[in-house]
Amino acid sequence: MMTTPTPCYHCALPVPAGSRFTAAVLGDTREFCCPGCQAVAEAIVAGGLESYYQHRSEASANPEGLPVQLVDELALYDRADVQQPFVRHDGELAETTLLMEGISCAACGWLIEKHLRSLPAVAEARLNLSNHRLHVRWADAQLPLSQVLSELRQIGYAGHPYQADRASEQLAGENRLALRQLGVAGLLWFQAMMATMATWPEFNIDLSPELHTILRWVALFLTTPIVFYSCAPFFKGALRDLRTRHLTMDVSVSLAIGSAYIAGIWTSITGVGELYFDAVGMFALFLLAGRYLERRARERTAAATAQLVNLLPASCLRLSADGQSERILLSELRVGDHVLVHPGAILPADGKILEGQSSVDESLLTGEYLPQPRTPGDAVTAGTLNVEGALTVEVLALGHDTRLSAIVRLLDRAQAEKPRLAEIADRAAQWFLLLSLITAAVIGLVWWELDSSRAFWIVLAMLVATCPCALSLATPTALTAATGTLHKLGLLLTRGHVLEGLNQIDTVIFDKTGTLTEGRLALRAIRPLGALDSDQCLGLAAALENRSEHPIARAFGRAPLAAEDVQNTPGLGLEGLVGEQRLRIGQPEFVCGLSGAAVPSMPDEPGQWLLLGGADGPLAWFVLDDRLRDDAPALLAACKARGWRTLLLSGDSSPMVASVAAQLGIDEARGGLRPDDKLQVLQQLHKEGRKVLMLGDGVNDVPVLAAADISVAMGSATDLAKTSADAVLLSNRLDALVQAFSLARRTRRVIIENLLWAGLYNGLMLPFAALGWITPVWAAVGMSISSLTVVLNALRLTRLPSAPAANATPETRPLPA
């Protein structure tokens, strides 16, 4: 006995089985169909508008075709108090981000953007396919927000105010559904294939008519869940595309699957013709597997921005008017509040230092590996680390106005502006698909006049023969094989367009710290100035530095001596007692202030120079440096051999930027750049028509990694940089990129071969099927052979490319003296 599904309390649509979305409304726990309805209901209750549910109309629909209760709900979004959490106003324009439901491919993004941009009041509509977020800027005085949402509903998509936790939950739910659909298709296809093959004349040995009939019905029974459950997204997409007059692969796939299924039903009932249930299952399995892998990549990218928000602390210490500190949640902090930030704590907001001196580690945001000294009056940034002294900070910016949030917006914008190769492929496929459908229709009419009994089977043979499975597999199989090969080399590709795109690259942007260099300070040399030798001076310096948490201290190693009474002067250096000697290490003026001696001239060499001295004067110079990676010269040589332009863009403002560029022969180097500065350089290169490869490792590189044509993150990079990049260098060996360049050329050659073969197959099979020389069964077999040929050709890429020549490996730089 079937049970009637519970209607959603908000929109009245059926609540899916196992739904966990509930909220308390009008004193009872109500069930909702999706997180969007739940969020809206909670907002209505929280805003004191609960009476809406008592008085809403129960009329069936409005003139526009939307339920009245839905129209009333959308109208609530026009209230200023409801818009306050998620709508920003800039003059006459309003700006918001919506989480979209119903997105399945790049064609959906094209349709949504095209439809909204056609509205006179909409200034900008930009959909980020990686996380389903729609960014809209519009004149709300001319077009209320409820009308924007209504327009989206009219073309088959639902938009909700974006909330990070809701977005992750929705994507995870969609991912689980896609996995179930794929599993059902794979399991039942194998069984249906065996039942179908048993009815073939080649295998039909001593098969009784009764058993033949049973096998036909068994195959029908097994295939039906594949069609109506696993293939439901194809049919829904095709229906939506036909309504909007937009031809996509969903239309072709739905026609092939639907026609084969209907023909199989006819054969099961009448016993006339061949079964095509195995073809239905094969179509479904191949196509669902591809979409599932795409969904997993999208889900991984959607988590990237949420990780960036985790840089902020959950709580902070707010100071009252009488100087007492109180720990509060970050959400309770307000602009103008004073906060106390202890050493080792993360700054909770952008602000200005009122009291205290310290060094602030901004490496996650700027890439500069040395903490920067900060004194009263200096600005500090949310998400950075206070290293040394306690600071009292006045809050100047929170939430969307912080620099950290600006990086998040840059990331979203850069991802949305990424070249959409999928759209280009979809548009090309439309012409092929349109030609195939028109040809099939014309040939069907001709055969209807010649022999009506054969017309349906010939049209079906044409649809099956020209189904672009081989064309669809030509590129993905080659990329998958090459991706596995590169994974063996330590290069993990997270997006399929990398190997194809590497053949178009003509410019490479490098980050410095952690990319071309190892990302940690090392002691390169010691220059004694007095009677003590290098080892003695190193022991005294290490005794002082071992009492500090500064990153510089780790470069001195362990000390045989122990310093006492160590005092840290942020931005200047350390002072302490080692044995009976009072020593200082740090800035030359600070060190010489202990003895009153003249400041010695600093050696004219690049690096971070520190002076060690005591009461009797200076003792030694120490130079620290970030070591260049041993395989960096080989990578630059490979780029030069291909005629690529090379740039070094770094957040580091030290002379090390120019020094590294000179050592490696990089064409152009710029230091002291913020994330938006790097993005501007990349955008200028794009305006010049250049195809750019970006190699980086920090949060400050994320916007450029997301916007570059090809982006590679180091294996030691931050999690956000990895999820935003197209590839991750897990081995941290730059020579893997050199091998990737060679493999990219081989991959391009194999892709061209696959496309030529698939095109030749479709071109030959179409006239043969139109003449009635090929039955639908043999068309399905031919399609399978064509797909297998494409796969076997792609497997040639699983062979490892030859290693770089021995003379391409640079000599290792000597260890510090």
Side-chain angles (χ1 to χ4, degrees):
M1 180 177 178
M2 296 184 61
T3 58
T4 303
T6 303
C8 173
Y9 187 72
H10 184 72
C11 70
L13 294 176
V15 175
S19 175
R20 298 174 286 106
F21 306 111
T22 60
V25 182
L26 297 176
D28 290 325
T29 300
R30 311 292 185 176
E31 295 188 26
F32 300 90
C33 64
C34 66
C37 289
Q38 180 194 38
V40 172
E42 290 174 344
I44 291 173
V45 173
L49 305 173
E50 201 170 11
S51 58
Y52 157 76
Y53 289 105
Q54 293 175 320
H55 303 294
R56 63 182 178 180
S57 172
E58 299 296 335
S60 59
N62 69 344
E64 296 181 353
L66 297 179
V68 171
Q69 59 265 32
L70 179 57
V71 175
D72 291 342
E73 176 236 320
L74 297 180
L76 288 176
Y77 286 111
D78 297 335
R79 295 172 59 107
D81 54 342
V82 176
Q83 291 186 7
Q84 194 274 332
F86 63 94
V87 177
R88 303 174 62 195
H89 293 270
D90 183 13
E92 297 181 353
L93 294 180
E95 181 178 357
T96 190
T97 300
L98 303 174
L99 178 65
M100 300 302 301
E101 292 181 1
I103 304 295
S104 61
C105 63
C108 297
W110 174 87
L111 176 61
I112 291 172
E113 292 178 352
K114 182 176 182 296
H115 184 73
L116 289 184
R117 289 171 182 170
S118 66
L119 303 176
V122 176
E124 181 181 8
R126 187 176 67 246
L127 179 70
N128 189 331
L129 281 175
S130 65
N131 53 27
H132 293 190
R133 295 180 208 162
L134 175 66
H135 180 77
V136 184
R137 294 177 68 241
W138 81 104
D140 58 344
Q142 303 175 31
L143 184 70
L145 179 57
S146 60
Q147 187 61 36
V148 175
L149 298 173
S150 177
E151 291 287 343
L152 292 171
R153 294 269 183 172
Q154 294 294 335
I155 59 174
Y157 302 91
H160 306 287
Y162 168 69
Q163 292 178 316
D165 54 338
R166 307 268 183 209
S168 301
E169 187 175 358
Q170 178 183 327
L171 286 178
E174 292 177 353
N175 183 59
R176 289 191 296 269
L177 175 61
L179 185 59
R180 287 196 298 268
Q181 291 171 333
L182 177 61
V184 168
L187 179 63
L188 296 183
W189 168 63
F190 186 72
Q191 307 297 328
M193 179 181 64
M194 290 191 297
T196 303
M197 290 178 63
T199 65
W200 292 1
E202 294 83 354
F203 299 98
N204 191 349
I205 302 174
D206 298 329
L207 190 66
S208 65
E210 293 79 9
L211 186 55
H212 194 285
T213 302
I214 292 174
L215 287 174
R216 293 201 305 266
W217 285 98
V218 167
L220 172 60
F221 175 76
L222 292 170
T223 307
T224 298
I226 298 178
V227 174
F228 290 98
Y229 179 69
S230 298
C231 298
F234 302 135
F235 292 109
K236 290 179 180 178
L239 182 61
R240 181 178 60 234
D241 295 333
L242 291 175
R243 285 176 176 174
T244 56
R245 300 178 183 179
H246 183 58
L247 201 60
T248 68
M249 295 291 289
D250 280 342
V251 177
S252 172
V253 169
S254 298
L255 282 175
I257 291 176
S259 299
Y261 179 68
I262 293 173
I265 293 176
W266 172 260
T267 300
S268 298
I269 296 174
T270 64
V272 178
E274 303 289 345
L275 294 175
Y276 301 101
F277 295 134
D278 55 336
V280 170
M282 181 179 60
F283 291 162
L285 187 63
F286 282 169
L287 296 171
L288 287 171
R291 291 201 174 184
Y292 175 73
L293 294 176
E294 178 189 357
R295 183 179 298 278
R296 287 304 301 268
R298 187 190 306 142
E299 186 182 39
R300 186 168 55 246
T301 304
T305 305
Q307 292 181 10
L308 183 56
V309 177
N310 290 337
L311 290 175
L312 294 177
S315 62
C316 61
L317 290 175
R318 181 172 61 186
L319 295 177
S320 60
D322 58 0
Q324 297 297 316
S325 63
E326 174 192 10
R327 183 161 294 277
I328 62 171
L329 292 174
L330 190 61
S331 59
E332 300 178 76
L333 198 60
R334 298 292 181 265
V335 173
D337 286 349
H338 294 178
V339 294
L340 178 63
V341 185
H342 288 299
I346 301 292
L347 281 116
D350 289 1
K352 180 177 65 175
I353 297 177
L354 299 179
E355 297 179 11
Q357 293 184 342
S358 184
S359 294
V360 177
D361 184 354
E362 299 179 343
S363 58
L364 282 175
L365 297 179
T366 67
E368 193 155 353
Y369 60 89
L370 288 177
Q372 300 301 302
R374 293 290 183 261
T375 58
D378 290 343
V380 288
T381 304
T384 56
L385 176 67
N386 181 22
V387 176
E388 294 168 319
L391 297 174
T392 300
V393 177
E394 179 184 0
V395 176
L396 299 180
L398 287 167
H400 291 287
D401 299 323
T402 63
R403 186 177 174 189
L404 189 62
S405 294
I407 293 181
V408 173
R409 291 194 294 272
L410 286 174
L411 171 60
D412 286 339
R413 186 179 68 184
Q415 287 177 337
E417 293 174 353
K418 205 177 186 79
R420 296 178 179 176
L421 298 181
E423 284 189 3
I424 298 175
D426 183 61
R427 285 195 294 268
Q430 285 187 59
W431 290 103
F432 172 79
L433 178 59
L434 183 61
L435 177 63
S436 300
L437 294 178
I438 292 175
T439 303
V442 172
I443 296 299
L445 291 175
V446 172
W447 273 101
W448 184 263
E449 296 293 332
L450 297 176
D451 186 352
S452 59
S453 63
R454 299 184 62 189
F456 174 78
W457 304 108
I458 289 175
V459 171
L460 180 59
M462 292 181 65
L463 289 175
V464 173
T466 59
C467 189
C469 280
L471 282 172
S472 301
L473 288 171
T475 299
T477 50
L479 294 177
T480 300
T483 296
T485 302
L486 286 178
H487 194 199
K488 297 176 184 177
L489 297 173
L491 181 64
L492 175 64
L493 304 189
T494 60
R495 288 166 180 80
H497 73 281
V498 174
L499 286 166
E500 182 183 1
L502 279 175
N503 295 288
Q504 305 169 357
I505 294 298
D506 55 21
T507 304
V508 186
I509 296 177
F510 298 98
D511 180 44
K512 179 182 72 68
T513 307
T515 303
L516 295 177
T517 66
E518 295 179 353
R520 61 178 185 270
L521 287 174
L523 184 60
R524 184 156 57 88
I526 304 174
R527 305 292 169 79
L529 299 176
L532 300 181
D533 60 24
S534 297
D535 291 338
Q536 291 173 317
C537 292
L538 177 59
L540 295 174
L544 287 173
E545 293 288 355
N546 281 181
R547 301 294 298 275
S548 172
E549 297 296 328
H550 199 285
I552 286 178
R554 292 191 287 270
F556 287 85
R558 291 192 172 185
L561 304 174
E564 299 178 355
D565 191 27
V566 177
Q567 301 175 5
N568 177 24
T569 305
L572 296 178
L574 300 172
E575 178 181 346
L577 198 61
V578 182
E580 298 182 354
Q581 299 183 71
R582 179 160 292 278
L583 301 173
R584 287 183 179 180
I585 185 171
Q587 297 296 324
E589 294 81 4
F590 171 71
V591 173
C592 292
L594 183 61
S595 63
V599 177
S601 58
M602 184 179 297
D604 188 18
E605 297 178 26
Q608 178 74 22
W609 288 92
L610 301 177
L611 183 63
L612 173 69
D616 296 329
L619 297 176
W621 283 107
F622 296 86
V623 60
L624 295 94
D625 206 348
D626 191 4
R627 288 175 57 87
L628 195 66
R629 291 186 185 272
D630 295 335
D631 46 7
L635 175 59
L636 267 298
C639 295
K640 292 292 185 181
R642 288 165 172 78
W644 294 350
R645 179 183 174 187
T646 53
L647 294 88
L648 177 59
L649 306 180
S650 176
D652 188 356
S653 57
S654 72
M656 273 295 297
V657 176
S659 174
V660 168
Q663 285 181 268
L664 297 176
I666 294 177
D667 297 330
E668 182 180 350
R670 303 185 191 180
L673 299 182
R674 298 174 301 178
D676 50 342
D677 296 329
K678 293 185 178 185
L679 187 58
Q680 287 179 4
V681 174
L682 176 63
Q683 291 171 339
Q684 181 60 39
L685 292 171
H686 279 159
K687 289 180 181 179
E688 297 172 5
R690 291 189 170 271
K691 299 294 184 180
V692 182
L693 167 68
M694 170 65 186
L695 182 62
D697 76 321
V699 171
N700 62 308
D701 300 320
V702 166
V704 189
L705 287 171
D709 298 280
I710 304 291
S711 55
V712 181
M714 302 298 293
S716 56
T718 63
D719 289 341
L720 181 62
K722 291 178 185 178
T723 53
S724 300
D726 300 319
V728 179
L729 200 58
L730 297 175
S731 64
N732 278 322
R733 293 174 51 246
L734 297 178
D735 55 3
L737 280 179
V738 179
Q739 293 175 299
F741 298 156
S742 301
L743 187 61
R745 293 184 176 180
R746 292 175 53 202
T747 304
R748 182 174 181 270
R749 186 167 60 249
V750 168
I751 289 175
I752 292 175
E753 292 169 356
N754 284 349
L755 290 174
L756 288 175
W757 164 253
L760 180 64
Y761 161 78
N762 282 306
L764 291 176
M765 293 292 282
L766 185 62
F768 289 163
L771 292 172
W773 295 352
I774 299 175
T775 65
V777 171
W778 286 110
V781 172
M783 186 200 62
S784 300
I785 294 175
S786 176
S787 300
L788 182 61
T789 302
V790 166
V791 172
L792 292 177
N793 188 43
L795 289 178
R796 296 191 297 120
L797 294 171
T798 57
R799 292 177 295 180
L800 290 173
S802 58
N807 58 6
T809 304
E811 296 183 0
T812 302
R813 289 182 56 185
L815 294 173

